[in-house]
Amino acid sequence: MDAQGRGHAEDIDPADQWVFNPRTNSYELRLTSGDAAPHTGRAATPPSPRSAGEPGAASAPASDRSTRSPAARPGGPAGPGEDDRRVPGQRSRRAPGGPAEAGPRSRRKPRPKKSARKRVVRWGGGVAALLVLSGCTTAYLIYQDWNNNIDKVDVGIDNPATTDGPVNILILGTDSRAGEGNGSYGDEDSVGHADTTLLLHVSEDRSNATALSIPRDMLTDIPDCPTKQPDGTKKTIPGETNVRFNESLGQHGRDPGCTWRTVQQLTGVKINHFMMADFNAVKELSTAVGGVEVCVAKDIDDPKSHLKLSAGTHRVAGEQALAFVRTRNSVGFGSDLSRIELQQQFLGSMFRQMKSRDTLTDPGKVLDLADAATNALTVDEGIGSVKKLADLARDLSRVNPENITFTTVPVIDNPAEKVKATVVLDEAKARPLFRMIKEDKSLTETEKKKDDDKPKGEPVEKVPAAQVRVDVLNGGGPIGAAQQTVTWLQNQQAVPLSTNAGNADAEQPATTLTYGPDQAGQAATLAEMMGLPKSALKKQSEPAGEGVPMRLVLGRDYVAAGTPLEAPDKAPEGVQKINGADEDVCAK
């Protein structure tokens, strides 16, 4: 006997100690050869009986067979010689004169001793089965809890969770003080603004991604925004012109859908989903991954954000991580643009940490991360469940963190201000950058696929410039853009059949050229002249007919006559970039 009174351990197979109890629908540990399971304080129910001759009938221990209820044994409710007057928990014996006299029972012949390897395999199998059975309920409860954690906003745009094409996700950080733990950061009654905003573009082949930061103090136009009210009704929040970008969220009742529409209008890039997080998200997510590695080039002591760091590399989490992404007075020029670079460094490092082996192989970290993420995030209806979020995460996880490039919308100081407080778009640099994202061109140097340089479709034969007939309309370009373009076409490109058709009925984010199949040659000639991207060409199904002009509508992406609209292969000179794999970047 061992110290626990279990008999010799080498005579007992650990896997045989787990017995399924149909009353509780669970496995129970039997530590003795008797009926009772000492650790539960109640009788353990053995497996259901098998009739003689069935596979497994001979494998049941004698003690198990002796405790079957009368109804369970062959022979009916009361088999031959059966004594039904049993005390619960007491072993039954056959009546005198029966097949076996009452008295000590004989033990079955011991089975051959198993090798250590077989014992380990059997024991591991038993434990695994137990974990699976108990884990099913646990996983379901966790799944339901995570689903309940997620906050959703109906922005009136319903996109599927995943797509085969490029993916564009608007990531919003709000400075709202609402919510537990947020009231200590300034005005706890503040409804918040769009504090940190990134447009994450993931390429169609998932080989690379671009994270475009949008400065909160940039002046822009906010469009009319339909919002869903708590009572289910819809209310349109009027748009504004030439206001700070951060007013697209929170102010005047604007929801994340307003910021969504503002970014689409600004960049011309179609957004698939949004994710919004508050101050707590930074604290919880950084803690869940075990801290985020950051680097500063000089000592920082910021009394406003309460960040104190010596020069060098540090691992920050919780309150310290939040202080790191909030600090601005101690880095760069003390502006929001300097803070953006700090935040980009933090996010790049956190992406790497999330995909690191240390995180993915640690079940505790994975569970903590999932719990923190679902608690911290507010998302659109299209990804408003754990399953949808998981599908999206699996799709986006194919991107190597080394191929994520962080950049910022190019801006310049507002020339109308004596005391510089806001910035405005640097059109010459910003528009080509927006087009690169829209046309799915990478800012990261990645290996091209073999078929990337092959021509797509049948080539179209271009016609002479003198045969190009086109009406030019201004649908969002600078004032006078239509006439400027016509003058350029006629005087510098020898296109006499171009006409200024005035303003379009409505503004549009991108320039379009609409033509019929019988005008394909003209469209090819004009597209080459103006540097129009393929996305701008709108071929109709029906022929236009002889003498009918094509229709060129200049959108908000139009800069000036002679400036190509086709996305460049490289970002314009002077555009700030940080590669996601560059771990040596230090905030200055």
Side-chain angles (χ1 to χ4, degrees):
M1 299 290 287
D2 65 9
Q4 302 296 327
R6 298 189 184 98
H8 294 292
E10 63 269 16
D11 294 332
I12 301 173
D13 187 343
D16 288 337
Q17 293 179 296
W18 290 99
V19 181
F20 182 75
N21 187 339
R23 292 197 301 271
T24 62
N25 285 325
S26 64
Y27 281 85
E28 297 176 356
L29 182 64
R30 172 176 293 165
L31 301 180
T32 70
S33 60
D35 292 353
H39 68 294
T40 62
R42 61 186 179 191
T45 304
S48 59
R50 301 176 187 267
S51 59
E54 280 188 21
S59 64
S63 60
D64 287 351
R65 291 195 298 272
S66 69
T67 57
R68 289 175 182 157
S69 66
R73 287 193 300 274
E82 185 66 44
D83 182 4
D84 292 332
R85 293 170 295 176
R86 291 168 44 194
V87 178
Q90 176 185 342
R91 291 189 178 93
S92 64
R93 300 177 182 270
R94 297 185 184 276
E101 293 291 331
R105 292 176 297 163
S106 63
R107 297 182 60 184
R108 64 174 177 172
K109 184 178 179 181
R111 285 183 281 186
K113 185 187 295 185
K114 292 181 173 60
S115 67
R117 177 178 175 82
K118 286 186 177 180
R119 287 199 300 270
V120 170
V121 170
R122 290 287 298 277
W123 174 244
V127 172
L130 184 66
L131 289 175
V132 168
L133 288 171
S134 61
C136 285
T137 302
T138 304
Y140 177 75
L141 293 176
I142 292 175
Y143 179 87
Q144 288 299 103
D145 187 47
W146 286 344
N147 262 333
N148 295 333
N149 285 348
I150 301 172
D151 290 326
K152 301 180 287 291
V153 175
D154 183 356
V155 298
I157 305 172
D158 189 14
N159 293 328
T162 59
T163 176
D164 293 333
V167 178
N168 298 298
I169 300 175
L170 187 65
I171 301 176
L172 292 170
T174 174
D175 59 2
S176 170
R177 271 60 174 176
E180 185 178 354
N182 286 332
S184 58
Y185 307 108
D187 181 8
E188 62 179 327
D189 295 324
S190 171
V191 295
H193 302 75
D195 187 51
T196 300
T197 305
L198 292 97
L199 176 59
L200 177 65
H201 168 79
V202 181
S203 66
E204 182 174 0
D205 62 4
R206 307 299 187 258
S207 68
N208 65 88
T210 298
L212 177 70
S213 293
I214 303 175
R216 55 173 289 162
D217 295 327
M218 181 185 69
L219 296 182
T220 190
D221 295 341
I222 300 174
D224 292 346
C225 176
T227 60
K228 190 171 184 179
Q229 303 302 300
D231 61 2
T233 61
K234 289 186 178 180
K235 177 182 178 181
T236 297
I237 311 297
E240 294 183 87
T241 59
N242 206 37
V243 295
R244 275 183 168 90
F245 172 79
N246 67 352
E247 294 187 26
S248 64
L249 177 66
Q251 306 305 301
H252 308 292
R254 295 189 178 107
D255 65 11
C258 300
T259 309
W260 180 323
R261 290 171 173 85
T262 301
V263 174
Q264 280 194 161
Q265 176 177 280
L266 173 70
T267 64
V269 176
K270 182 179 180 182
I271 295 172
N272 300 86
H273 301 290
F274 87 86
M275 297 179 182
M276 183 174 69
D278 60 13
F279 288 147
N280 278 324
V282 177
K283 295 187 291 185
E284 293 173 4
L285 291 174
S286 61
T287 301
V289 297
V292 177
E293 190 172 279
V294 297
C295 181
V296 292
K298 62 181 182 181
D299 294 347
I300 292 180
D301 186 357
D302 186 352
K304 291 187 176 180
S305 69
H306 308 296
L307 178 67
K308 289 186 178 182
L309 288 178
S310 59
T313 301
H314 303 267
R315 185 169 289 273
V316 296
E319 290 287 351
Q320 193 177 34
L322 178 60
F324 182 83
V325 298
R326 291 185 68 225
T327 190
R328 60 188 291 178
N329 296 321
S330 301
V331 293
F333 298 104
S335 68
D336 183 53
L337 297 178
S338 297
R339 181 170 60 176
I340 282 176
E341 294 185 28
L342 208 68
Q343 293 168 347
Q344 290 174 346
Q345 180 200 154
F346 178 86
L347 288 172
S349 180
M350 187 161 72
F351 286 163
R352 289 192 300 272
Q353 183 64 29
M354 284 180 176
K355 292 199 69 174
S356 71
R357 184 175 181 84
D358 289 343
T359 299
L360 297 180
T361 58
D362 186 331
K365 283 186 179 179
V366 172
L367 288 173
D368 288 346
L369 184 58
D371 190 56
T374 53
N375 262 313
L377 292 177
T378 298
V379 300
D380 60 279
E381 295 281 355
I383 49 174
S385 71
V386 170
K387 182 183 184 306
K388 291 177 179 178
L389 271 175
D391 288 344
L392 179 62
R394 276 193 296 270
D395 183 29
L396 303 187
S397 67
R398 293 152 56 190
V399 179
N400 188 329
E402 294 183 0
N403 295 334
I404 300 176
T405 298
F406 290 87
T407 187
T408 304
V409 172
V411 292
I412 57 176
D413 288 332
N414 185 355
E417 295 176 338
K418 290 183 178 180
V419 179
K420 305 303 181 186
T422 61
V423 293
V424 295
L425 202 65
D426 185 344
E427 296 280 350
K429 294 177 181 177
R431 295 304 174 188
L433 182 61
F434 295 160
R435 289 196 293 270
M436 286 187 71
I437 296 174
K438 183 178 179 181
E439 299 297 321
D440 198 21
K441 291 196 175 184
S442 174
L443 272 69
T444 308
E445 296 293 334
T446 55
E447 193 174 323
K448 287 187 175 182
K449 294 182 178 180
K450 293 181 179 179
D451 59 350
D452 276 356
D453 296 326
K454 294 180 180 179
K456 306 293 191 298
E458 293 294 326
V460 177
E461 185 176 350
K462 294 187 286 290
V463 303
Q467 297 180 20
V468 173
R469 187 183 297 270
V470 60
D471 283 347
V472 182
L473 299 90
N474 192 350
I479 297 175
Q483 184 56 51
Q484 183 192 52
T485 302
V486 169
T487 300
W488 177 77
L489 286 172
Q490 292 179 352
N491 296 340
Q492 298 185 40
Q493 302 298 315
V495 183
L497 301 178
S498 54
T499 305
N500 180 358
N503 292 327
D505 294 334
E507 286 194 6
Q508 57 188 48
T511 298
T512 57
L513 175 62
T514 306
Y515 64 98
D518 54 339
Q519 298 170 317
Q522 296 182 52
T525 300
L526 187 61
E528 184 179 62
M529 271 180 206
M530 298 190 62
L532 298 180
K534 291 180 180 178
S535 60
L537 305 182
K538 307 298 181 184
K539 183 179 178 180
Q540 297 187 321
S541 58
E542 298 295 329
E546 187 176 355
V548 176
M550 298 182 294
R551 181 181 173 89
L552 175 66
V553 180
L554 307 177
R556 286 189 294 269
D557 60 344
Y558 182 83
V559 178
T563 301
L565 293 177
E566 189 173 15
D569 292 326
K570 292 185 178 180
E573 290 292 328
V575 171
Q576 173 262 344
K577 292 193 301 179
I578 296 177
N579 189 277
D582 192 351
E583 300 184 34
D584 296 324
V585 173
C586 282
K588 297 180 180 179

